[in-house]
Amino acid sequence: MEARRTIDDLVGLQEIDLEIRSIESRLHGGAAEVASLREKVGELEARHERVAAELKKAEASVREFDRLAESALVTLKRLEKRSAAVANMQQHFAARSELNAARKNLRKAEDRQLDAMQEVETARATLAVVDAARNAASETRDSRGAEVEEMRLDLESKLEACGSNRKSQAARLGGAALQMYEAARGAGGQRPALTELGADGECLSCFTAIPRLLLAKIVTRDQLATCEACGTVLVPNLRERMSGEAVAARRA
């Protein structure tokens, strides 16, 4: 009878531990989600800065090529005026050569001016898209962050209650049973300490067959025992004894 009560207390302790693990997982998930949202906003802000710098550079290029085109046009008009007053063929050929070079320089300056203007338009359009994405991401970060913060406060309150319940449940066990339970949980308490027996009398944690004599005592709950292979505490009909929430947490 003592072994049966101990098993009942162990099942209760594991339910509390599974709930604690579930709460901690949800807390970690919420924190990771908010961190990811903040990182996305940060990336978009960094991209905004890069595109804004590109836009500023392109606008400076437009102003520079405006000056070059204006200067090339002034030079062309001056050469056209001078070519009209040539006195001989030698001067005519020289003036024509200068005019051709001036026209070429003007076309080059105008082409570069158009390219720079196109870069400005592209940068402005990209900046508008980035700003829209950044604003949307910021709104999501703020709204979801508020939801996660509310959830965090609720979960931390539940976690505190679970911690208190665990202390009480552990105190009820005490001694060798509690030591066996904690050892079965492993380093950091990351694995369930209790496991169920399979239909053929095997440990469902590592699928090792349990000796028949020990199995009979476990099934009748006359003895508390662990699997010799993996160290988990063997409990018959474990899932039937656990709450639905605890079973779900155990699978998570």
Side-chain angles (χ1 to χ4, degrees):
M1 184 64 69
E2 181 64 28
R4 296 184 182 184
R5 283 198 299 268
T6 299
I7 290 175
D8 289 341
D9 288 339
L10 287 173
V11 171
L13 182 58
Q14 175 154 290
E15 287 192 339
I16 295 172
D17 282 337
L18 290 174
E19 185 176 1
I20 289 174
R21 189 171 71 177
S22 175
I23 291 172
E24 290 175 341
S25 177
R26 292 172 64 188
L27 284 169
H28 177 75
E33 180 184 359
V34 171
S36 177
L37 291 172
R38 288 173 177 167
E39 182 179 0
K40 183 176 181 180
V41 172
E43 290 173 351
L44 288 169
E45 288 177 343
R47 189 179 178 195
H48 167 88
E49 295 299 325
R50 291 195 300 270
V51 176
E54 292 172 1
L55 174 58
K56 186 176 181 180
K57 182 178 179 181
E59 289 174 338
S61 295
V62 169
R63 292 191 295 269
E64 178 185 355
F65 294 135
D66 280 346
R67 289 192 296 269
L68 290 175
E70 183 178 356
S71 176
L73 181 60
V74 170
T75 299
L76 177 61
K77 289 182 176 180
R78 177 174 55 79
L79 291 174
E80 286 177 338
K81 183 177 180 181
R82 191 174 69 180
S83 67
V86 295
N88 53 53
M89 288 300 295
Q90 184 178 2
Q91 291 178 348
H92 171 75
F93 286 126
R96 188 172 66 177
S97 178
E98 288 180 331
L99 282 172
N100 288 337
R103 291 189 183 102
K104 184 177 180 180
N105 288 337
L106 178 59
R107 284 194 300 269
K108 184 178 179 180
E110 289 174 340
D111 289 343
R112 296 178 71 181
Q113 182 185 35
L114 290 174
D115 289 342
M117 291 172 65
Q118 183 60 51
E119 289 177 2
V120 167
E121 293 303 315
T122 300
R124 285 175 178 169
T126 302
L127 193 61
V129 172
V130 172
D131 283 345
R134 181 186 61 175
N135 292 339
S138 296
E139 290 178 5
T140 301
R141 176 202 59 193
D142 294 342
S143 62
R144 183 56 183 156
E147 293 173 357
V148 170
E149 176 62 16
E150 184 178 351
M151 180 186 73
R152 182 187 67 81
L153 294 174
D154 179 59
L155 290 176
E156 286 184 347
S157 176
K158 291 180 179 178
L159 189 62
E160 184 178 357
C162 284
S164 178
N165 292 339
R166 191 186 195 282
K167 288 181 180 179
S168 298
Q169 189 72 6
R172 289 180 59 184
L173 279 163
L178 182 59
Q179 291 179 5
M180 180 186 295
Y181 176 87
E182 296 295 359
R185 293 179 72 204
Q190 294 302 306
R191 68 179 184 182
L194 311 183
T195 193
E196 194 165 11
L197 288 167
D200 297 325
E202 74 276 17
C203 168
L204 289 186
S205 178
C206 67
F207 301 99
T208 298
I210 306 302
R212 294 180 62 183
L213 181 59
L214 178 59
L215 181 62
K217 292 181 178 181
I218 294 171
V219 170
T220 58
R221 297 187 188 175
D222 289 331
Q223 183 171 331
L224 188 64
T226 60
C227 173
E228 294 180 356
C230 67
T232 55
V233 182
L234 300 166
V235 178
N237 304 318
L238 175 61
R239 283 178 291 183
E240 295 177 9
R241 303 186 57 80
M242 295 171 64
S243 66
E245 293 82 359
V247 172
R250 190 174 190 271
R251 291 174 178 171

